[in-house]
Amino acid sequence: MIVDDEPDISELLEKALSIEGFHRILKADRGKEAVEICRKDEPDLVILDVMLPDLDGYEVCRQIRQFSRCPVLFLSAKNDELDKILGLAVGGDDYVTKPFSPREVVYRVKAQLRRAEYQQESPGSRMVRIGELTIDPDGCRVMKNGKEIGLTAREFELLQYMAQNTRRVISREQLYEAVWGEDSLGCDNTVMVHIRHLREKIEEDPTSPRYLITKKGLGYKLVNPYES
């Protein structure tokens, strides 16, 4: 689904995606409309402009995250680092600034869909239990004491990757390249934002984490707090 109130941009993206084989493309030019379409038609991915006439893109993303984990790719004329961090903090998966190359957007769409497909189709995966946490790779769910925790797609990928490497301290660069699938240049803030929000959801006290700990100067490690 493309959500943008500028017809020229919406048509440009629709044409670029159609050329690459995406034929069922939904469109909206208002935030509230986008949320309702997303709830009704369950798109595989949302390309979401930040500046919309009614709700801004950040609020649209927040509302979508209440019922969907589909990847959200922000489009914005704002190139400020804080705006990018805000986009990731509310549940976005990627952020492209205007003016943009339609080919780059299509590439990023394909990359996000590959990751989502891999999550859904990974064969033979089993439940992973770490203390009170249960990670279900097949269902893309995380539970704590039997109660499901609402994670974004990126947060789930991050936690799952760390759960697969519980014996290792993983640097920010390694996490970014493994989860985002891109070169790690300038990745620090992106990883830090996602780690912070992940802690807010899985830890009793995010300021004193027991599961997702920091190894100063080295990176992060996922541990079972009940194991010595």
Side-chain angles (χ1 to χ4, degrees):
M1 180 168 68
I2 300 168
V3 186
D4 200 303
D5 64 323
E6 296 184 54
D8 290 345
I9 290 179
S10 185
E11 290 171 12
L12 179 66
L13 287 172
E14 183 178 20
K15 182 178 180 181
L17 289 163
S18 296
I19 290 172
E20 291 297 321
F22 296 94
H23 298 305
R24 185 167 183 261
I25 300 171
L26 306 171
K27 293 195 292 184
D29 58 9
R30 297 291 188 275
K32 292 179 181 178
E33 178 190 16
V35 173
E36 290 309 309
I37 292 175
C38 193
R39 191 189 305 275
K40 178 183 176 183
D41 293 312
E42 300 180 354
D44 297 308
L45 180 142
V46 177
I47 300 174
L48 178 59
D49 187 26
V50 171
M51 302 299 292
L52 294 169
D54 49 356
L55 305 177
D56 67 36
Y58 301 131
E59 179 57 28
V60 173
C61 186
R62 286 191 191 97
Q63 293 190 23
I64 288 175
R65 281 291 170 257
Q66 294 176 13
F67 59 85
S68 173
R69 292 196 181 98
C70 74
V72 173
L73 191 159
F74 278 109
L75 295 179
S76 178
K78 299 180 179 181
N79 196 27
D80 189 271
E81 184 178 43
L82 291 177
D83 291 302
K84 294 180 180 180
I85 291 173
L86 178 57
L88 298 172
V90 297
D93 297 280
D94 205 349
Y95 195 105
V96 179
T97 55
K98 298 178 181 179
F100 56 81
S101 160
R103 292 180 63 186
E104 179 188 359
V105 174
V106 171
Y107 167 81
R108 290 177 181 270
V109 165
K110 288 183 174 181
Q112 292 296 334
L113 291 175
R114 280 197 302 270
R115 294 190 188 100
E117 184 178 6
Y118 173 78
Q119 283 186 0
Q120 294 171 2
E121 297 182 358
S122 53
S125 54
R126 298 180 179 178
M127 296 279 194
V128 178
R129 291 180 174 82
I130 302 174
E132 297 163 340
L133 298 176
T134 302
I135 302 168
D136 175 11
D138 290 330
C140 297
R141 298 185 305 158
V142 176
M143 288 159 282
K144 186 173 183 181
N145 290 325
K147 183 178 180 181
E148 185 169 355
I149 301 171
L151 301 184
T152 67
R154 191 72 77 189
E155 289 165 353
F156 179 84
E157 287 184 75
L158 190 62
L159 184 62
Q160 183 182 26
Y161 180 77
M162 297 193 73
Q164 293 168 346
N165 296 273
T166 52
R167 297 180 181 273
R168 295 173 50 202
V169 175
I170 310 172
S171 70
R172 292 173 186 167
E173 293 77 13
Q174 289 172 320
L175 282 172
Y176 191 83
E177 290 176 3
V179 175
W180 277 261
E182 300 173 9
D183 187 273
S184 62
L185 182 64
C187 73
D188 281 10
N189 282 331
T190 299
V191 174
M192 288 172 63
V193 166
H194 281 77
I195 290 289
R196 185 175 75 246
H197 284 275
L198 195 50
R199 281 175 171 158
E200 289 172 355
K201 294 178 179 181
I202 68 172
E203 302 281 1
E204 293 295 330
D205 180 4
T207 63
S208 182
R210 300 165 64 229
Y211 287 95
L212 190 46
I213 62 174
T214 300
K215 294 292 186 179
K216 192 172 182 180
L218 297 174
Y220 304 100
K221 187 176 182 180
L222 187 65
V223 301
N224 185 340
Y226 300 102
E227 293 180 356
S228 56

